Amino acid sequence: MANPQKTVFGSNFSSDYKFIHHKIKRYRLLVKRKLTIIFNMDKSFKFEIEDSEKYIVSKIYKATKIPTQILYHKIFIENANNNSAGYVIKEQCGKGGASVVYKGVIKDTDETIIIKELKTNNLYKVKREVNILKLCKNIPNVIQLLDFFVNDDCYYLLFPYYNCNSSRTIFYNFTQIEIKIFMKKFLEALEKLHRKGIIHRDLKPGNILVKSCSDFYIIDFGISDFYVPHRKFDTKLGTRNFKAPEQLINIKGFDYGIDIWSSGLIFAEIYFGKYPFWKPEEDIIILENIYNLVGTDKFTEFINEYKTGGVYHFLKNSVEPANLESYFERKASDSIRNNTEENKKAFDLIGKMLEIDPRKRITAHDALKHPYFAN
Ligand SMILES: Nc1ncnc2c1ncn2[C@@H]1O[C@H](COP(=O)(O)OP(=O)(O)O)[C@@H](O)[C@H]1O
Ligand SMILES: [Mg+2]
């Protein structure tokens, strides 16, 4: 943001924007009038931008020769910037890799909100995040978008304020039953996202705001994307520790399975009360961790199957698949450690989520049917 001291949003658009804004407004009126006459529609009908977007873009393009891609973007912004003056920015309360996060209030109601200022001017990414957040509407345990607007060429997302503690402190104090409640709700949310075609791509404790095992929110859809078969994704994006093996060996055609892998790590982390991979500096070190987890046979089968051509120095030491308990050097509380029956089911599910081959990895849908959740 240009000036963080400025507390009320204005409507200070660039001249380029003003010009297009004016044009869009004019053509919207025309379209509205036309539709009203042709279909004898009620004059108070709500304008559905998607229906007439093409018409407006083609009209403005003919008149201005401004590239259609830019016009689509401008319409998207124009459609979203109405209420910015209704909010007041207060203090900064967080900073992610791709944003600065402020607390704010809704002027009318004095309700505290979160205002996330995106550190990008890539409209494609902004649109993607907004569209995905809109699709998350009413999914329990997923952050809810209140509004989106643009001001001084910066993009702002508005969310309810979730007054939560650092997720790790809370996770490590969950009882066994609380872990189960959390994982069930978490996987239910994930299943709903996947059903809508959304891959989160950055699941990790830092992107979960937690009050309790049932009151938590999956946040940060900054690098989320829609799954399209055969589409290649950028494997560099994401948080190294939580990247799935297929991302680490650079298979670009990945899918929802990467979210299951990172959820498996989150599950293991909560269950074992320990951060599984210690701040590794390089992808190869995580791959070595994975190698020690799944053992030589599975790992070699995986790299042969996907023909990566990578060089893995650790292959010279042959290892057996790890026993999860010793692999994660369990620091869980006594009540968890001694509950063997429950542990067996939990380890089985963690193992299925941390399956190295994405095609054999369990889905969110099937994970929810696992015996671990039966009681
Ligand atoms: N709705 C919210 N309520 C409270 N804190 C939030 C909320 N949304 C984000 N934050 C805080 O801001 C940080 C960054 O937000 P996030 O969406 O993860 O952005 P980034 O993409 O930059 O990582 C979060 O880690 C969290 O501390
Ligand atoms: Mg984040």
Side-chain angles (χ1 to χ4, degrees):
M1 193 167 88
N3 176 7
Q5 298 309 314
K6 183 185 61 184
T7 52
V8 182
F9 293 104
S11 52
N12 207 358
F13 305 112
S14 65
S15 54
D16 167 47
Y17 181 77
K18 261 187 194 148
F19 172 71
I20 299 173
H21 176 76
H22 172 75
K23 288 268 177 210
I24 291 171
K25 221 170 149 184
R26 224 186 104 209
Y27 285 115
R28 272 182 161 195
L29 273 176
L30 279 176
V31 172
K32 188 163 175 168
R33 218 172 290 149
K34 221 170 163 176
L35 289 175
T36 319
I37 296 165
I38 297 172
F39 300 110
N40 194 20
M41 284 168 95
D42 178 352
K43 285 195 179 56
S44 64
F45 80 95
K46 206 174 161 291
F47 193 87
E48 286 296 336
I49 189 80
E50 288 81 11
D51 298 342
S52 315
E53 210 173 67
K54 269 192 187 153
Y55 177 80
I56 294 172
V57 165
S58 73
K59 279 281 181 192
I60 303 179
Y61 175 73
K62 269 189 196 145
T64 63
K65 295 288 176 260
I66 293 169
T68 51
Q69 191 64 20
I70 295 179
L71 292 172
Y72 277 117
H73 285 338
K74 295 290 178 188
I75 288 179
F76 169 73
I77 291 171
E78 205 273 342
N79 215 20
N81 65 14
N82 309 325
N83 293 324
S84 59
Y87 307 109
V88 181
I89 276 194
K90 301 269 185 179
E91 75 274 14
Q92 185 178 328
C93 75
K95 199 173 161 62
S99 68
V100 185
V101 175
Y102 301 91
K103 260 194 202 170
V105 288
I106 301 177
K107 276 208 278 184
D108 281 352
T109 59
D110 223 22
E111 193 183 323
T112 304
I113 45 162
I114 283 291
I115 300 171
K116 176 173 170 178
E117 180 188 332
L118 303 180
K119 278 198 245 164
T120 178
N121 50 15
N122 180 335
L123 248 177
Y124 169 76
K125 283 195 202 150
V126 178
K127 273 174 86 167
R128 189 181 64 186
E129 187 166 356
V130 171
N131 288 337
I132 285 178
L133 282 163
K134 281 184 180 166
L135 277 175
C136 293
K137 197 170 177 201
N138 295 333
I139 300 184
N141 301 107
V142 173
I143 193 164
Q144 296 295 298
L145 182 71
L146 293 176
D147 201 357
F148 160 73
F149 58 84
V150 61
N151 190 53
D152 286 344
D153 289 333
C154 285
Y155 306 103
Y156 298 89
L157 306 177
L158 265 69
F159 302 105
Y161 170 58
Y162 305 126
N163 188 5
C164 298
N165 289 317
S166 149
S167 54
R168 286 208 159 94
T169 333
I170 300 190
F171 282 159
Y172 296 166
N173 288 313
F174 277 170
T175 62
Q176 199 142 21
I177 188 73
E178 284 172 333
I179 297 176
K180 192 179 295 197
I181 294 169
F182 171 83
M183 278 314 297
K184 185 155 186 285
K185 286 181 155 281
F186 184 82
L187 285 166
E188 279 168 355
L190 200 57
E191 193 209 6
K192 290 195 173 73
L193 291 176
H194 290 175
R195 262 180 201 277
K196 286 179 188 283
I198 301 163
I199 315 177
H200 184 286
R201 290 181 79 184
D202 202 11
L203 291 173
K204 56 179 176 181
N207 282 338
I208 310 171
L209 297 176
V210 196
K211 276 188 196 162
S212 71
C213 62
S214 55
D215 192 3
F216 65 88
Y217 299 91
I218 297 172
I219 65 164
D220 197 354
F221 288 76
I223 59 164
S224 302
D225 215 329
F226 292 102
Y227 171 68
V228 178
H230 311 301
R231 177 169 162 196
K232 304 277 185 256
F233 293 98
D234 183 352
T235 49
K236 289 193 197 76
L237 288 178
T239 305
R240 180 175 280 135
N241 299 348
F242 289 87
K243 275 189 189 174
E246 58 271 31
Q247 291 170 292
L248 294 166
I249 63 167
N250 213 15
I251 299 171
K252 294 176 189 296
F254 57 74
D255 65 14
Y256 307 107
I258 63 158
D259 282 348
I260 298 296
W261 178 273
S262 38
S263 304
L265 288 179
I266 294 170
F267 190 8
E269 177 170 339
I270 301 173
Y271 209 89
F272 298 108
K274 189 190 166 190
Y275 192 25
F277 301 123
W278 294 108
K279 294 191 174 69
E281 306 286 312
E282 294 169 64
D283 288 1
I284 190 81
I285 301 178
I286 313 196
L287 279 168
E288 191 169 355
N289 279 297
I290 295 171
Y291 178 69
N292 291 328
L293 174 71
V294 301
T296 307
D297 289 353
K298 270 205 157 187
F299 193 91
T300 29
E301 201 181 296
F302 171 65
I303 51 169
N304 289 341
E305 182 71 33
Y306 290 95
K307 297 188 182 57
T308 64
V311 179
Y312 308 104
H313 65 273
F314 44 81
L315 284 178
K316 59 182 184 291
N317 303 320
S318 174
V319 293
E320 290 296 312
N323 169 302
L324 280 181
E325 213 162 341
S326 47
Y327 180 82
F328 288 111
E329 298 170 34
R330 196 141 62 97
K331 288 187 181 154
S333 66
D334 284 349
S335 63
I336 293 184
R337 196 175 300 125
N338 298 332
N339 197 341
T340 2
E341 258 320 293
E342 192 70 0
N343 288 345
K344 242 168 85 183
K345 290 185 213 157
F347 296 167
D348 187 70
L349 178 53
I350 293 172
K352 289 187 160 81
M353 292 170 84
L354 297 181
E355 158 63 52
I356 191 166
D357 187 338
R359 284 174 308 189
K360 295 183 194 150
R361 200 173 299 148
I362 199 164
T363 61
H365 181 79
D366 288 345
L368 284 162
K369 290 194 215 140
H370 189 274
Y372 174 66
F373 293 115
N375 57 337

